[in-house]
Amino acid sequence: MERMLDRPVSHYMRTPVFSVAAETDLETVRHRLATHNVSCLGVFDGAEPLAGVISRTDLLKAGRFERSETGAYALVLSAQEVRALMHGPAFCVDPAESVRTAARGMVEQRVHRLFVRKARNVFGVVGTLEVMRALVESRAKAHVAELMTSPVGTLDVATPLAEASLSLRAAGVTGLVVVSGPDEVPVGVFTQREALESSAHAGDAPVEGVMSARFITVNARTALHHAAAQAAATRARHLLVMENNRLLGIVAGLDFARAAARA
């Protein structure tokens, strides 16, 4: 059944492709990322439909965290245009290429999605979520323990939001696990999305107030295709591997892509 990974990406890709003009300001980018619930936007520049990409990671790196007069803590973005911050060229894949090839490209470039493009036509986006769906259909036999990253970056539920945001940026990852109590029980995740959308909260407010509960837990021996099915169904971006109530590791989107690339 691994032949499912040899299906063309056009079978799995998402549409439409959300994009902004190269002269767009960064605050508009933040708003559009939240509105469309995506982690990046394509950038068009004049006649070029896909001159580059701008992502949440770029905004977090470019912004600075400040406390306002009211005590609210927010990521302040400069008046730069997208053109000055975007990454280009955008990483793309031909619509006839396989999911396996696309997954290999994600791993090699360390990106969570590729744009599906042929010549000047941009058809869609294929990302780690689509790779998960292909893994479900392929009934991949590996276990999550073979993919997980360990040790796991964590934050206590009482960690101030300002400190949590800085820790996330310093770690260079898309999310940190929020834990509670002496046993460090996972209760949530603090991701780039929460960091960008937390402007209504004071900097000394605990991260517990803004963390996401969108994660799932699995046993280390869970079959990869079962884990991928749960993650795809819930749209959970982080899968926590537990053993005897202890956090062993974490599986994220690129880990699924890695599994598909080598299947």
Side-chain angles (χ1 to χ4, degrees):
M1 294 297 286
E2 287 183 354
R3 65 180 181 274
M4 295 298 182
L5 295 172
D6 293 320
R7 282 186 172 184
V9 293
S10 58
H11 181 81
Y12 291 98
M13 68 183 184
R14 279 173 285 146
T15 57
V17 176
F18 298 111
S19 58
V20 292
E23 60 269 21
T24 304
D25 64 273
L26 301 185
E27 195 58 53
T28 298
V29 171
R30 169 158 48 185
H31 176 71
R32 293 205 64 186
L33 288 171
T35 299
H36 298 307
N37 191 26
V38 293
S39 60
C40 78
L41 299 169
V43 181
F44 57 88
D45 193 358
E48 172 51 56
L50 195 57
V53 180
I54 188 162
S55 68
R56 287 177 181 151
T57 301
D58 298 322
L59 296 188
L60 284 173
K61 288 181 177 178
R64 62 186 187 279
F65 291 98
E66 293 184 357
R67 187 191 299 272
S68 70
E69 294 180 358
T70 62
Y73 181 77
L75 178 71
V76 178
L77 299 172
S78 70
Q80 287 179 297
E81 294 183 346
V82 167
R83 181 181 285 106
L85 199 62
M86 71 180 189
H87 293 281
F91 295 116
C92 300
V93 63
D94 187 281
E97 291 286 1
S98 69
V99 175
R100 191 193 312 275
T101 298
R104 188 176 298 121
M106 293 177 206
V107 174
E108 291 174 351
Q109 303 299 337
R110 294 198 60 78
V111 295
H112 290 80
R113 89 292 302 164
L114 299 175
F115 292 87
V116 182
R117 178 178 184 174
K118 190 175 184 66
R120 296 184 57 78
N121 298 311
V122 183
F123 298 101
V125 179
V126 59
T128 53
L129 181 61
E130 287 67 48
V131 171
M132 290 177 199
R133 290 172 177 158
L135 284 169
V136 174
E137 294 180 3
S138 71
R139 300 190 65 80
K141 299 301 183 184
H143 296 110
V144 294
E146 300 173 41
L147 302 177
M148 69 182 186
T149 298
S150 181
V152 184
T154 62
L155 296 167
D156 185 83
V157 289
T159 302
L161 179 57
E163 181 182 334
S165 297
L166 292 173
S167 295
L168 179 64
R169 182 162 64 179
V173 295
T174 59
L176 296 172
V177 179
V178 182
V179 297
S180 177
D183 294 330
E184 297 190 337
V185 177
V187 293
V189 289
F190 180 68
T191 72
Q192 293 174 337
R193 176 173 182 171
E194 286 75 49
L196 286 174
E197 298 177 0
S198 59
S199 59
H201 300 267
D204 55 1
V207 70
E208 181 179 20
V210 298
M211 70 182 186
S212 170
R214 184 173 289 182
F215 70 94
I216 58 177
T217 61
V218 296
N219 185 278
R221 293 177 295 280
T222 301
L224 177 60
H225 69 278
H226 288 150
Q230 292 181 61
T234 60
R235 298 185 70 85
R237 298 298 185 182
H238 298 85
L239 191 154
L240 307 185
V241 184
M242 306 289 294
E243 192 75 38
N244 298 322
N245 296 319
R246 184 169 63 90
L247 179 61
L248 292 183
I250 187 169
V251 179
L254 276 181
D255 297 313
F256 285 107
R258 192 172 293 109
R262 70 189 188 198

